Structures are given as C-alpha cells and as structure tokens.
Amino acid sequence: MTAVHVLILGPPGAGKGTQSSRIAERFDVEHVTTGDALRGNKDMDISDMDTEYDTPREYMEAGDLVPDAVVNAIVEEALQSADGYVLDGYPRNMEQADELTDMTDLDVILSLSVSRDELVDRLTGRRVCDDCGTNFHVEFDQPEDDGICDDCGGELIQREDDNEASVNNRLDVFDDNTAPVIDQYRDDEGFVEVDGEQTPDEVWADIEAAVENRT
Ligand code: AP5
C-alpha cells in the first residue's frame, strides 16, 4: 500500500504543527507545511504577481493570507516529491481547496477544534526554537532552562505574528476563509474531528487511532 495522505486542519494555535511532527515520525511521512515554507522564503520577490505586497513577509506579519498563486505552487511541488505526507496549513480558502482536489487524494482529514480564548493564550505564549523549530509555551510547556531549547540548545524566540493584534486577525481570517473549508470536508469518508483542548498526549492518542484506522 502507498504511504498515507493526511490533511490536518484547525485554527491558528490548534496544535497542527505539534501533532504533525508526531504523525510524520510515527507514520514515516513527510511534513508539508506552508507556514514553515513561507517563513523560509519571507523575502521572496512576488512583485511580478501584481499582488498587494511585494514579499510574503508583509502578509504574514499582519496575519493575512499570502496570495493563492504563491502557496499553490509551494504545495504542488512539495506533494509531487512526497510519497506519504501530512499536509499542515493548506488549504485555507475554497480556491485552495479546489486546487488541492486536483493535486491529490486524501486518506484522513483531521480537524482540531479549540476555543478562541484558549487559542489566544497558546499563541501569545508560544516560543519557538530558532534552530530546530520545536514549540514551547511560557506556561503550558516550559523548557528546562529559560529561553533555551531542550532538544538542541538553540535560542527560543517569539514568532513575529504571535503578538495580540496579529493573532486576533489570524483568527478572524480563519473564521471567514478556512472554517467554510472544514465544513465542506465534514461529509468526506476520512473526516475525523478531534478535541484539540485535551493535553497534547491525549490529542495524539486520538490522532494515532484515527490514522491507523485508515491505513
Ligand atoms: P502557519 O505557520 O501555518 O500558522 P497558523 O496556521 O497560524 O498555525 P500555527 O503554527 O500558529 O499554530 P498550530 O496549529 O501549528 O499550533 P502549534 O502546534 O504551533 O501560518 C502562518 C502564516 O503564513 C499565515 O498567517 C499566513 O500569512 C501564511 N500562510 C500559511 N499557509 C497559508 C496558506 N495556505 N495560504 C495563505 N497564506 C498562508 O501550537 C501552538 C502553541 O500551543 C504552542 O506553544 C504549543 O506548544 C501549544 N500547544 C499545542 N498543543 C497543545 C495542547 N494540546 N495543549 C496546550 N498547549 C498546546
């Protein structure tokens, strides 16, 4: 059997990145994440696309969506070279969802649900390792040494879009653009809603069972 194709959906801060890393390791698939891909290419010149801003950076710092053409190209290239994958951060609107349908089939569609108040707390308190990308939280998941990554010793930083204004805009953008995409997937055979307010290990237990069930 070919390796599993997993889509993970949910609002900013729902735990998509945290759980995707576990899925990638446990099921030996690639973690395809538009957020990380865009952060690695923040200053890419997109002025020829006749978009509002000339680089992804401005969209991301404001918490707005980067233009579809940029993101679609990133995902198409990544999926072409991946056998199995967990796709995180895409699709975020109906147009991207239509593109994805043309690109690939999906075995499992996970939707993490978390309340807005909890999301704001998680995102404004998140700290990320500048070297290996591991997530921590100032309250819920503290490192052993303040400001230092437990895994690799790298420096922990705050993402530029994790301030309160950007977070609130990202959550509004999610409600307006991405929530309807999730609703559209609800009738699919592989759709599974997961309570994302449980502890990370409890969320993982539900996800592992859901993916195992479809492989
Ligand atoms: P992206 O990087 O995808 O950010 P996001 O969707 O806003 O999601 P996050 O990474 O913030 O959250 P997450 O769900 O991964 O949660 P995490 O596991 O880190 O996108 C950033 C920007 O890029 C967008 O705003 C947009 O501009 C652009 N972009 C990306 N994709 C695009 C697209 N398709 N189209 C257009 N533009 C696009 O967890 C969060 C925190 O909570 C951590 O501190 C973690 O330790 C903690 N935590 C996790 N799980 C739990 C738990 N169960 N209990 C308690 N704490 C927990």
Side-chain angles (χ1 to χ4, degrees):
M1 184 181 172
T2 54
V4 71
H5 294 177
V6 181
L7 173 62
I8 189 162
L9 298 161
K16 303 183 298 294
T18 303
Q19 298 296 336
S20 291
S21 302
R22 294 190 184 200
I23 294 170
E25 195 180 330
R26 162 70 179 80
F27 295 97
D28 195 20
V29 292
E30 225 166 282
H31 181 192
V32 176
T33 150
T34 48
D36 285 356
L38 289 168
R39 273 185 287 282
N41 292 282
K42 264 185 187 169
D43 294 314
M44 173 173 52
D45 182 2
I46 56 172
S47 54
D48 60 328
M49 291 185 175
D50 196 22
T51 49
E52 187 180 354
Y53 301 118
D54 290 343
T55 63
R57 177 187 290 274
E58 285 109 318
Y59 292 96
M60 296 176 79
E61 287 183 2
D64 289 332
L65 295 184
V66 174
D68 289 348
V70 177
V71 189
N72 292 340
I74 289 172
V75 174
E76 187 156 21
E77 196 187 329
L79 295 191
Q80 266 168 10
S81 59
D83 182 10
Y85 58 80
V86 50
L87 177 58
D88 160 15
Y90 182 98
R92 278 172 131 100
N93 60 28
M94 289 297 191
E95 291 73 23
Q96 294 181 11
D98 290 343
E99 285 287 324
L100 184 62
T101 303
D102 291 342
M103 281 181 219
T104 187
D105 54 348
L106 299 167
D107 300 308
V108 196
I109 301 159
L110 302 165
S111 171
L112 299 180
S113 51
V114 178
S115 70
R116 187 165 177 133
D117 285 351
E118 169 83 12
L119 294 169
V120 173
D121 286 349
R122 284 188 189 180
L123 291 171
T124 52
R126 172 169 55 188
R127 299 294 181 268
V128 184
C129 176
D130 203 17
D131 287 339
C132 72
T134 301
N135 278 328
F136 294 87
H137 192 280
V138 292
E139 216 180 307
F140 312 136
D141 185 10
Q142 297 171 347
E144 276 174 29
D145 296 317
D146 208 21
I148 308 287
C149 177
D150 290 348
D151 289 354
C152 76
E155 184 193 359
L156 300 187
I157 56 160
Q158 184 168 31
R159 257 170 57 172
E160 280 159 353
D161 60 350
D162 277 348
N163 62 77
E164 206 156 334
S166 296
V167 165
N168 277 307
N169 188 43
R170 284 158 64 197
L171 294 172
D172 290 344
V173 168
F174 171 82
D175 288 343
D176 293 343
N177 296 272
T178 316
V181 171
I182 295 178
D183 286 340
Q184 182 179 261
Y185 282 120
R186 273 180 207 284
D187 294 334
D188 279 39
E189 208 188 327
F191 184 88
V192 181
E193 177 118 38
V194 175
D195 176 3
E197 290 212 14
Q198 307 173 91
T199 66
D201 285 347
E202 288 167 341
V203 175
W204 169 242
D206 286 355
I207 287 180
E208 187 179 29
V211 179
E212 274 173 354
N213 197 31
R214 299 282 300 170
T215 50

